[in-house]
Amino acid sequence: MITQAQIETFQRDGVVMIPGAFRDWVDLIRDGIDRNMAEPGEYGSENSVTEGRFFDDYCNWTRIPEFERIIRESAAGEIAARAMKSNSAQFFHDHVLVKEPGTPKPTPWHQDGPYYFVEGEQTVSMWIPADPVKEASLRFIAGSHRWERMIRPVSWADDSDFYDKKQDWTPVPDPDANPEDSKVLEWPMEPGDAVLFDFRTAHGARGNLQPNRRRALSLRWVGDDARYVERPGRTSPPFPGHDMKQGQKLREDWFPVILDKVG
Ligand SMILES: O=C(O)CCC(=O)C(=O)O
């Protein structure tokens, strides 16, 4: 499921690739993505691309039965808890990201944490491609989950500031311009492989100039120590009406605890 060596790699680098982790779930992932694209939710976006298509949408698992099955019935919760070294795995949200062939738009370098209203040492996203991916797979800056300051969050559509209020962010990095400053990790991936990464790990992706689609499902989890935090504006996802306060655990009726004790 996840080896001790993979757990240690995740803790050290903030990212690990687990070949074949969701191999048996690929058909269901594809079916769920098809349903999501046919019936986008209120957050569905085309990211203002003018060439190709970059569709993304999130927070649909309660209306897409394929996603709910993967979250509840696959080993995802246990893999998440073990990677985070947490007793529990609480589900935060699902995120579908599809780059169609001929889409040059890169995904900007970012950390997910600043967009979210949750923080902790125990967080993990699992990005699972439903197609073979070479150039357009996720790229990560090893060890960036330990950076003291977080990267300025930007709108994916136009790179403008995501929050109106100023905060002491670190500038968006450009590891390709300064390759000696950071170690970039990336892997060619097969359908059902998964990269696991901390919400604080800096990552981005190239455009998809390959002839095949690049469909992916990201599942986001938090562990025992994760707590609600106020951000300087509306977060992404926003979860309107959540009614949580600084320092609270995420409410379990909206964010289900899928595993409460690692066996
Ligand atoms: O699929 C992509 O291009 C970006 C994915 C991502 O940033 C994420 O899953 O957090």
Side-chain angles (χ1 to χ4, degrees):
M1 189 181 297
I2 180 168
T3 65
Q4 197 54 38
Q6 288 167 331
I7 295 170
E8 297 313 327
T9 301
F10 174 76
Q11 296 283 331
R12 184 194 62 218
D13 292 343
V15 57
V16 67
M17 153 49 174
I18 308 192
F22 295 93
R23 189 181 291 131
D24 297 339
W25 297 86
V26 171
D27 288 343
L28 212 57
I29 292 173
R30 287 185 182 141
D31 290 349
I33 293 176
D34 282 353
R35 191 194 293 271
N36 196 160
M37 293 185 82
E39 303 158 27
E42 61 179 308
Y43 304 121
S45 169
E46 298 289 339
N47 293 292
S48 304
V49 299
T50 48
E51 250 182 282
R53 183 174 189 199
F54 180 17
F55 169 87
D56 84 302
D57 197 3
Y58 48 42
C59 304
N60 291 301
W61 68 271
T62 52
R63 68 180 185 93
I64 298 198
E66 292 84 356
F67 293 164
E68 178 155 19
R69 272 196 62 196
I70 295 159
I71 293 156
R72 294 195 185 277
E73 296 174 27
S74 77
E78 184 156 0
I79 294 173
R82 289 187 187 279
M84 296 186 287
K85 295 195 173 172
S86 167
N87 283 317
S88 64
Q90 185 172 13
F91 189 64
F92 184 34
H93 67 277
D94 55 289
H95 194 162
V96 161
L97 304 116
V98 179
K99 281 192 187 178
E100 299 291 4
T103 306
K105 165 108 180 142
T107 307
W109 286 97
H110 67 283
Q111 291 158 309
D112 292 339
Y115 296 86
Y116 297 164
F117 56 43
V118 63
E119 269 181 8
E121 289 290 311
Q122 293 166 317
T123 63
V124 64
S125 279
M126 27 189 77
W127 187 89
I128 311 164
D131 299 289
V133 196
K134 293 200 174 64
E135 283 77 7
S137 64
L138 287 198
R139 311 172 72 210
F140 301 88
I141 301 180
S144 47
H145 61 313
R146 301 281 174 229
W147 287 354
E148 275 181 21
R149 282 194 307 152
M150 290 195 283
I151 299 170
R152 178 176 73 93
V154 296
S155 150
W156 285 12
D158 61 8
D159 293 335
S160 60
D161 280 325
F162 183 75
Y163 296 115
D164 292 337
K165 277 195 208 146
K166 292 284 164 246
Q167 199 163 308
D168 193 18
W169 307 108
T170 220
V172 176
D174 186 356
D176 293 324
N178 307 292
E180 63 290 341
D181 291 352
S182 44
K183 182 171 161 198
V184 173
L185 298 174
E186 61 186 304
W187 299 267
M189 295 175 72
E190 293 300 321
D193 292 349
V195 273
L196 271 53
F197 55 101
D198 190 295
F199 289 177
R200 298 163 298 177
T201 306
H203 58 286
R206 298 190 186 86
N208 181 20
L209 298 175
Q210 301 297 302
N212 58 298
R213 309 180 73 189
R214 196 221 64 173
R215 292 168 290 181
L217 174 66
S218 260
L219 302 176
R220 326 249 186 225
W221 302 83
V222 298
D224 303 335
D225 82 338
R227 296 289 183 275
Y228 174 80
V229 284
E230 297 284 348
R231 294 289 185 209
R234 180 182 141 107
T235 56
S236 167
F239 292 105
H242 60 69
D243 202 28
M244 290 182 291
K245 302 276 178 300
Q246 183 81 10
Q248 234 179 280
K249 279 187 87 114
L250 297 191
R251 49 187 295 178
E252 293 182 12
D253 52 345
W254 287 24
F255 306 101
V257 175
I258 299 296
L259 188 79
D260 59 5
K261 187 94 190 84
V262 174

